Amino acid sequence: MSVSLPTWNLADLYAAPDAPEVKADLAAAAQDVERFNARYRGHIAALASAPDGGAQLAEAIRAYEKIEDRLGRLMSFAGLLYAQDNTDPAHAKFYGDMQERVTTISTGLLFFTLELNRLEDEVLAQALVDVALAHYGPWLRDLRVMRPYQLSDELETLLHEKSVTGHAAWNRLFDETMARLSFEVEGETLTLEGALHLLSDTDRGKRAAAAQALAATFKANTPLFALVTNTLAKDKEIEDRLRGFTDIAQSRHIANCVEPEVVAALADAVQRSYPALSHRYYAMKAKWLGLERLEYWDRNAPLPQADDASISWTEARDTVLDAYRGFTPQMASIAERFFDKGWIDAPTRPGKVSGAFSHPTVPSAHPYVLLNYQGKTRDVMTLAHELGHGVHQVLAAKQGALMADTPLTLAETASVFGEMLTFRKLLASAPDARRRKAMLASKVEDMLNTVVRQTAFYTFERRIHTARRDGELTADEIGRIWLDVQGESLGPAIRLGEGYETYWCYISHFIHAPFYVYAYAFGDCLVNSLYAVYEQAQEGFAERYLRMLEAGGTLRHKELLAPFGLDASDPAFWDKGLSVICGFIDELEAME
């Protein structure tokens, strides 16, 4: 299968790491920053107070945005090369060198946002009367949320420059270590992705062997992963303390433009639903598999009636595009570009990062999707998910480099919606009740992985970061917290046997983006409610949906959801989303 799978064409960014355009863009960015510094450093307050202050500030922000786009293009190229094979010394060196160069260059821009945040509210409000500056109003609004937590110029510069040898270096150590790990399963040496894939194999013996191989390699490396986890948690605690954050996840909530009480309501609603969702489902699954209890390696086992046939890339492509087209031709048309223009890297291979993502790069270019496609139904759903991100990123690019990015909580909306469209299409074409049951069960498992598992991950992170404040945690202590949280979320029908206490160590989100994980549960519940509105076939839903995606980061969740009659700040909103999963489980129960 891997022969026919597409790989990226990164030439839309740069032809190669040694392409003259790379060197030219680095030099141009450095010169632009130097000129920007000379013109604006120390002058923002006076400039904003001038009679034409709004117009002058808008001109400065446009110049800043142009530099950010150029630097973003350089780092996107280096990051994507690194993701393709981070065991290649040349890729690793290029990525590291680019991090250093871009960090050094961008240090000269730090003053700008710091000075903007020192402007008095009244001065900025007066300047925002200018139409050109008003365009950047949403960016300024989000920037100024950090105003109370802003440090001195000297400290901000220090944190920025030391990030290369601080958290970024630990991230890189984690990635390169994980990419080099090998797992011996029944005489075969596998990558992490290959070993994890076997946990959904039809052969129970293979699943057990893969689980034990994963545990053995993880256990041999837990001292290193514990050190990485402890160091990054301490690094975060130091910065949180300096900034005056009162909650360990406060910086993530601010970045997500979401109120802490909304996240707390989501987590509480999901945790209250554990018995009705995961506990109930896995008890049913044990019965279906003829087991008293599931072992942890049975959690993602296919059902006996599941269709284990390999799905070709062409079939996966057509399935997703047809589902998108059934919603609106515009969505399918955008998604088609990813296949036609070399924007997808699909094969599994040594050195390639595990999992999947859609990287937006910069608005002057286009997104790139990474998959590890192995022909399973889950892989088709992952393709639908990442293309949802990709479509969203293409539509939001019109907002420019400063406002195209969507907060994580809303960034998952288009991806999960794309999954739901694809699933509903597949379900509608199920040939019989047996196939329908298998598809429903698979979807429920995906939703439990997205909602229950990710909420449990969030709980785990909160407990780890809280405990770390009292001193370093041993690998055993981290493992005990992991087992406690996982046992609580998965329920008594799954036995978390020996070896599973190490499985915390491969979750890259814990390393790269602390507290990112609740965004998945947020997005899934939000889409369940959104899809219910769509099913009522209200006129113009698709148009409103596309407008929501086009807004990028310019609107908050209340404003984005208002046209659909939804409000995520209402605690009942989450129960509505969770009831969809509950309804699927009810249907499965009725089939017994």
Side-chain angles (χ1 to χ4, degrees):
M1 180 191 294
S2 59
V3 176
S4 60
L5 293 177
T7 55
W8 281 328
N9 171 17
L10 297 178
D12 289 349
L13 296 172
Y14 298 97
D18 59 356
E21 291 82 5
V22 172
K23 195 173 179 182
D25 273 358
L26 280 168
Q31 286 169 4
D32 288 345
V33 169
E34 200 176 319
R35 282 194 290 266
F36 189 84
N37 234 282
R39 183 171 179 188
Y40 294 113
R41 191 181 187 99
H43 303 307
I44 298 302
L47 189 141
S49 302
D52 61 343
Q56 288 200 62
L57 276 184
E59 186 185 345
I61 294 173
R62 276 194 298 272
Y64 175 82
E65 184 172 40
K66 188 178 173 186
I67 297 169
E68 286 287 329
D69 190 276
R70 196 193 298 268
L71 292 175
R73 178 181 286 262
L74 288 160
M75 272 319 302
S76 294
F77 179 62
L80 292 173
L81 270 179
Y82 184 68
Q84 280 187 306
D85 184 1
N86 57 30
T87 60
D88 182 329
H91 287 180
K93 174 179 166 47
F94 181 65
Y95 180 64
D97 287 348
M98 290 304 296
Q99 275 189 318
E100 288 184 22
R101 292 292 303 279
V102 169
T103 300
T104 300
I105 292 168
S106 60
T107 299
L109 296 173
L110 278 181
F111 79 89
F112 186 56
T113 53
L114 298 175
E115 288 190 33
L116 282 173
N117 268 352
R118 290 196 192 103
L119 294 176
E120 294 300 328
D121 290 339
E122 303 75 26
V123 172
L124 185 59
Q126 183 59 44
L128 278 165
V129 172
D130 183 88
V131 177
L133 185 62
H135 167 74
Y136 291 105
W139 178 71
L140 290 164
R141 171 203 66 199
D142 293 343
L143 181 69
R144 287 171 75 80
V145 173
M146 276 295 288
R147 197 178 176 205
Y149 313 106
Q150 189 169 289
L151 304 173
S152 68
D153 289 17
E154 293 77 18
L155 266 179
E156 292 287 0
T157 300
L158 179 66
L159 288 172
H160 183 71
E161 290 192 341
K162 281 188 70 65
S163 66
V164 175
T165 54
H167 60 82
W170 290 96
N171 280 195
R172 184 175 160 190
L173 174 64
F174 172 87
D175 288 344
E176 293 183 14
T177 303
M178 198 56 76
R180 287 189 173 89
L181 294 184
S182 59
F183 305 85
E184 300 296 323
V185 183
E186 298 181 336
E188 191 179 357
T189 302
L190 299 174
T191 62
L192 172 64
E193 199 64 42
L196 289 172
H197 181 69
L198 287 179
L199 294 182
S200 56
D201 198 89
T202 51
D203 183 334
R204 193 169 191 234
K206 242 180 203 163
R207 294 198 302 272
Q212 287 152 12
L214 284 160
T217 300
F218 290 158
K219 190 167 184 60
N221 289 275
T222 49
L224 172 61
F225 293 127
L227 176 60
V228 173
T229 299
N230 274 290
T231 303
L232 287 172
K234 183 61 180 177
D235 182 76
K236 185 178 184 307
E237 185 271 326
I238 292 168
E239 185 167 340
D240 283 359
R241 180 163 32 87
L242 287 171
R243 293 193 183 281
F245 290 136
T246 54
D247 182 80
I248 49 178
Q250 190 173 358
S251 58
R252 177 62 60 197
H253 301 332
I254 289 172
N256 283 346
C257 304
V258 65
E259 302 79 7
E261 56 272 20
V262 170
V263 180
L266 163 65
D268 181 59
V270 175
Q271 286 161 354
R272 278 189 284 104
S273 297
Y274 284 166
L277 298 179
S278 46
H279 297 190
R280 180 164 63 123
Y281 175 77
Y282 291 125
M284 279 198 300
K285 182 166 186 175
K287 208 183 303 177
W288 295 336
L289 294 177
L291 300 168
E292 216 170 289
R293 287 178 84 193
L294 299 171
E295 297 294 338
Y296 69 84
W297 55 79
D298 296 319
R299 187 173 59 83
N300 287 325
L303 298 189
Q305 60 266 55
D307 183 359
D308 195 42
S310 184
I311 300 162
S312 72
W313 179 251
T314 303
E315 189 184 344
R317 174 189 188 277
D318 293 346
T319 298
V320 176
L321 289 180
D322 286 350
Y324 278 23
R325 196 173 291 111
F327 176 65
T328 171
Q330 186 182 346
M331 208 159 132
S333 172
I334 296 170
E336 226 161 354
R337 292 186 221 163
F338 285 78
F339 296 95
D340 298 342
K341 298 192 174 186
W343 298 358
I344 300 177
D345 191 302
T348 61
R349 57 178 175 269
K352 183 177 177 179
V353 296
S354 62
F357 63 71
S358 180
H359 191 312
T361 71
V362 288
S364 61
H366 56 76
Y368 283 93
V369 162
L370 179 138
L371 306 168
N372 279 277
Y373 188 82
Q374 298 183 70
K376 300 296 183 187
T377 303
R378 271 200 177 92
D379 295 324
V380 179
M381 300 307 288
T382 300
L383 174 62
H385 181 101
E386 298 307 337
L387 282 176
H389 278 308
V391 169
H392 192 176
Q393 289 158 355
V394 168
L395 287 168
K398 65 193 286 188
Q399 301 296 344
L402 299 182
M403 297 185 292
D405 281 353
T406 308
L408 294 176
T409 41
L410 297 165
E412 292 302 326
T413 305
S415 52
V416 179
F417 195 82
E419 268 191 85
M420 186 63 87
L421 288 171
T422 305
F423 168 70
R424 293 288 188 174
K425 180 171 177 57
L426 289 170
L427 192 65
S429 60
D432 50 43
R434 180 174 167 275
R435 184 73 185 123
R436 182 180 175 85
K437 179 179 179 179
M439 289 174 68
L440 265 177
S442 178
K443 181 59 179 171
V444 165
E445 291 191 17
D446 285 344
M447 294 172 100
L448 292 178
N449 282 336
T450 303
V451 176
V452 169
R453 187 167 163 80
Q454 300 298 335
T455 300
F457 283 177
Y458 176 61
T459 305
F460 170 75
E461 283 191 278
R462 290 197 67 92
R463 287 186 58 182
I464 290 295
H465 281 262
T466 301
R468 177 64 182 90
R469 294 190 170 187
D470 294 327
E472 280 208 15
L473 301 168
T474 65
D476 287 345
E477 287 170 327
I478 298 172
R480 279 195 292 275
I481 294 172
W482 172 257
L483 288 178
D484 282 351
V485 172
Q486 290 297 305
E488 189 181 276
S489 65
L490 296 174
I494 297 183
R495 194 175 80 86
L496 303 178
E498 188 181 347
Y500 192 67
E501 73 282 356
T502 64
Y503 273 57
W504 55 270
C505 71
Y506 81 93
I507 311 298
S508 61
H509 283 114
F510 298 158
I511 304 302
H512 289 289
F515 307 109
Y516 179 113
V517 289
Y518 73 73
Y520 289 110
F522 194 111
D524 200 280
C525 290
L526 189 157
V527 166
N528 288 340
S529 299
L530 195 62
Y531 202 88
V533 176
Y534 168 54
E535 285 189 311
Q536 292 163 12
Q538 292 184 8
E539 196 66 35
F541 180 92
E543 290 76 12
R544 277 180 288 149
Y545 176 78
L546 292 177
R547 277 199 301 274
M548 177 178 76
L549 301 189
E550 286 173 348
T554 62
L555 300 175
R556 298 286 181 88
H557 63 83
K558 270 184 179 282
E559 301 162 306
L560 282 171
L561 295 177
F564 304 97
L566 299 172
D567 181 3
S569 63
D570 177 0
F573 173 85
W574 302 113
D575 292 325
K576 190 188 301 182
L578 293 168
S579 70
V580 173
I581 312 174
C582 215
F584 284 159
I585 298 174
D586 290 344
E587 190 176 340
L588 284 167
E589 226 168 22
M591 289 178 176
E592 291 203 9

